């Protein structure tokens, strides 16, 4: 049996450090907005190469609060990928703005800068490229387009901790980066957690107020904020895990290279394309299948875990029925949803397991 992802193995590898971190917090008597959060924020900002990191409750609220801090709301448009996890769209909806979907570059599944340019209107206030599956989007042309028009760019970095674009870290490529530290992400807590990286002092300050009931000083409320704080326990766990992030991403790279090498010649699946400027961190290893049912049946028979990211594109979800985006509205997103398949990958998968997955995929021809 080959699991899709082994989170327990991730804990066990670092059990001593994580247990010590949890005990340190329990013993401190201070559980919300303390030393651990401040230290993690400094360490993660240094890792990404930004001036600030602000720890928040989760990835969705990280996206949402940045849009809110930029005063984006009803009547405004936010450009999002047509093919992404629905959280990217939900963040725009949560502030009352309209998500404007743009189709990806077919080869990478990430936002196509030319299509972004065509989708900009006078109402466009922000663009949210997603570094889907751990592969950075083509950021420079998108940021250049946005700068020329006074539009903000927010990276959705929930799947790309540590990825690089032309040598620079994801999360430091635009006006702000929204991270999720959900347990299954490349850097994951043992619960919900999120954060925003930015060089913008004003944005960081506003996020610190928004996450804490709109308050900078206890019982003095400057605006109607929310409760979305990274907690001390999760911050301490993330601090224990951050020093291993690069090594764990390297293990994913080794496995991804093996897949690329061995699946390249299999003609019923299409392996991912990696542009020359991208250094992906392989949050997911996805292939596109000519006959996905056959491949998943073969994986099931071999007791190999698999998932589909994502089976229903956001524009087909009931949550977005009101946008009336019917079948054929975003054919590339629809094609990706119909053909994509995620194979096991993670810092605790082995080369032997990857070879067994490849054998099962090949046999499904
Ligand atoms: C996981 C994820 C999110 C949301 O993060 P949560 O912490 O689960 O709220 C947002 N965007 C993308 C692309 C994700 O994969």
């Amino acid at each position: 049996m080959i699991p899709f992802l082994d989170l327990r193995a991730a804990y066990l590898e670092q059990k001593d450090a994580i247990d010590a971190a949890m005990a340190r917090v329990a013993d401190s008597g201070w559980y919300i907005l303390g030393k651990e959060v401040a230290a993690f924020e400094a360490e993660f900002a240094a890792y990404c190469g930004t001036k600030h990191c602000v720890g928040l409750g989760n990835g969705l609220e990280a996206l949402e609060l940045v849009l809110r801090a930029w005063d984006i709301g009803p009547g405004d448009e936010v450009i999002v990928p047509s093919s992404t996890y629905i959280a990217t769209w939900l963040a725009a909806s949560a502030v009352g703005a309209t998500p404007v979907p743009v189709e990806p570059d077919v080869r990478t599944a990430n936002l196509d800068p030319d299509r972004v340019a065509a989708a900009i209107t006078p109402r466009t206030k922000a663009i949210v490229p997603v570094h889907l599956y751990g592969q950075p989007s083509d950021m420079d042309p998108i940021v250049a387009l946005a700068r020329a028009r006074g539009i903000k760019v927010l990276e959705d970095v929930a799947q790309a901790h540590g990825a690089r674009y032309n040598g620079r870290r994801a999360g430091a490529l635009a006006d702000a980066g929204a991270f999720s530290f959900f347990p299954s992400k490349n850097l994951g807590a043992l619960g919900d957690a999120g954060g925003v990286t930015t060089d913008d002092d004003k944005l960081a300050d506003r996020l610190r107020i928004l996450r804490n009931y709109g308050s900078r000083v206890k019982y003095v409320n400057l605006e109607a904020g929310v409760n979305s704080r990274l907690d001390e326990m999760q911050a301490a766990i993330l601090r224990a895990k951050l020093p291993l992030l690069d090594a764990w991403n390297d293990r994913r790279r080794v496995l991804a290279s093996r897949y690329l090498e061995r699946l390249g010649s299999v003609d019923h699946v299409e392996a991912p394309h990696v542009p020359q400027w991208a250094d992906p961190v392989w949050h997911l290893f996805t292939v596109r299948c000519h006959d996905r049912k056959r491949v998943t049946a073969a994986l099931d028979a071999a007791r190999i875990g698999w998932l589909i990211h994502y089976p229903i594109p956001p524009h087909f979800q009931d949550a977005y029925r009101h946008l009336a985006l019917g079948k054929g509205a975003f054919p590339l997103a629809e094609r990706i949803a119909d053909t994509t398949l995620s194979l096991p990958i993670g810092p605790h998968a082995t080369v032997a397991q990857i070879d067994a997955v490849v054998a099962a995929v090949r046999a499904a021809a």
Side-chain angles (χ1 to χ4, degrees):
M1 152 100 211
I2 298 175
F4 180 73
L5 177 69
D6 191 348
L7 287 181
R8 187 156 182 273
Y11 165 64
L12 292 177
E13 181 181 336
Q14 280 195 285
K15 186 176 175 3
D16 291 345
I18 292 172
D19 288 355
M22 292 194 290
R24 187 172 75 234
V25 173
D27 194 52
S28 75
W30 189 280
Y31 308 114
I32 299 290
L33 294 185
K35 281 187 226 157
E36 300 289 344
V37 169
F40 174 70
E41 288 176 339
E43 289 156 13
F44 195 64
Y47 176 85
C48 292
T50 56
K51 202 164 160 194
H52 306 279
C53 168
V54 180
L56 299 168
N58 55 66
L60 172 57
E61 287 170 350
L63 290 161
E64 179 187 335
L65 291 179
V66 171
L67 298 179
R68 206 174 144 187
W70 286 338
D71 296 316
I72 293 171
D76 296 334
E77 294 177 355
V78 175
I79 290 178
V80 295
S82 58
S83 178
T84 178
Y85 182 52
I86 197 168
T88 321
W89 289 43
L90 292 176
S93 307
V95 298
T98 305
V100 174
V102 167
E103 290 266 79
D105 178 326
V106 257
R107 291 165 310 163
T108 62
N110 277 327
L111 266 189
D112 177 341
D114 293 332
R115 291 188 167 104
V116 170
I120 291 174
T121 75
R123 289 167 184 260
T124 308
K125 292 286 151 53
I127 303 168
V128 191
V130 179
H131 306 310
L132 202 63
Y133 312 143
Q135 168 143 280
S137 293
D138 191 5
M139 291 300 293
D140 284 349
I142 294 174
V143 170
L145 275 172
R147 291 263 190 280
R149 294 166 177 81
I151 295 168
K152 298 283 194 185
V153 180
L154 168 59
E155 296 172 71
D156 181 337
V157 209
Q159 302 190 357
H161 316 66
R164 287 180 195 272
Y165 170 79
N166 282 328
R168 286 173 294 139
R169 288 264 196 226
L173 303 171
D175 297 299
F179 284 87
S180 165
F181 304 112
F182 183 80
S184 65
K185 309 291 188 183
N186 289 44
L187 177 61
L190 299 192
D192 277 309
V196 169
T197 49
T198 185
D199 286 333
D200 182 340
D201 299 342
K202 269 208 177 122
L203 173 63
D205 185 55
R206 182 98 189 267
L207 289 171
R208 292 202 154 87
I209 291 167
L210 279 171
R211 75 176 171 185
N212 194 31
Y213 314 113
S215 164
R216 192 199 314 272
V217 173
K218 207 174 169 81
Y219 306 134
V220 179
N221 296 82
L222 304 167
E223 60 180 312
V226 297
N227 177 350
S228 181
R229 300 171 300 215
L230 174 64
D231 67 66
E232 288 284 286
M233 195 66 87
Q234 300 307 335
I237 293 166
L238 290 168
R239 290 184 71 199
K241 296 184 80 167
L242 180 58
L244 281 191
L245 175 58
D246 284 339
W248 284 18
N249 281 341
D250 282 342
R251 293 190 207 166
R252 289 174 183 268
R253 286 186 182 98
V254 169
L255 302 176
S257 307
R258 187 107 181 157
Y259 270 137
L260 288 171
E261 193 186 290
R262 313 225 149 178
L263 287 175
S265 58
V266 178
D267 56 14
H268 62 283
V269 296
E270 232 173 280
H273 165 74
V274 182
Q276 127 285 325
W277 38 258
D279 180 9
V281 288
W282 304 104
H283 173 61
L284 296 170
F285 189 90
T286 62
V287 293
R288 296 203 199 135
C289 306
H290 297 169
D291 184 347
R292 185 167 63 189
K293 276 226 166 74
R294 258 183 111 99
V295 181
T296 57
L299 294 171
D300 285 341
R303 306 190 65 224
I304 294 168
W306 54 270
L307 288 171
I308 294 172
H309 297 92
Y310 296 91
I312 306 171
H315 70 282
F316 284 172
Q317 300 285 356
D318 281 346
Y320 286 106
R321 211 176 7 204
H322 61 281
L323 295 181
L325 301 166
K327 199 155 177 57
F330 299 102
L332 296 179
E334 292 166 27
R335 204 210 300 168
I336 291 169
D338 288 343
T339 60
T340 199
L341 173 66
S342 302
L343 302 175
I345 195 164
H348 300 87
T350 64
V351 169
Q353 287 178 328
I354 299 313
D355 289 350
V357 177
V358 169
V361 171
R362 277 179 178 278

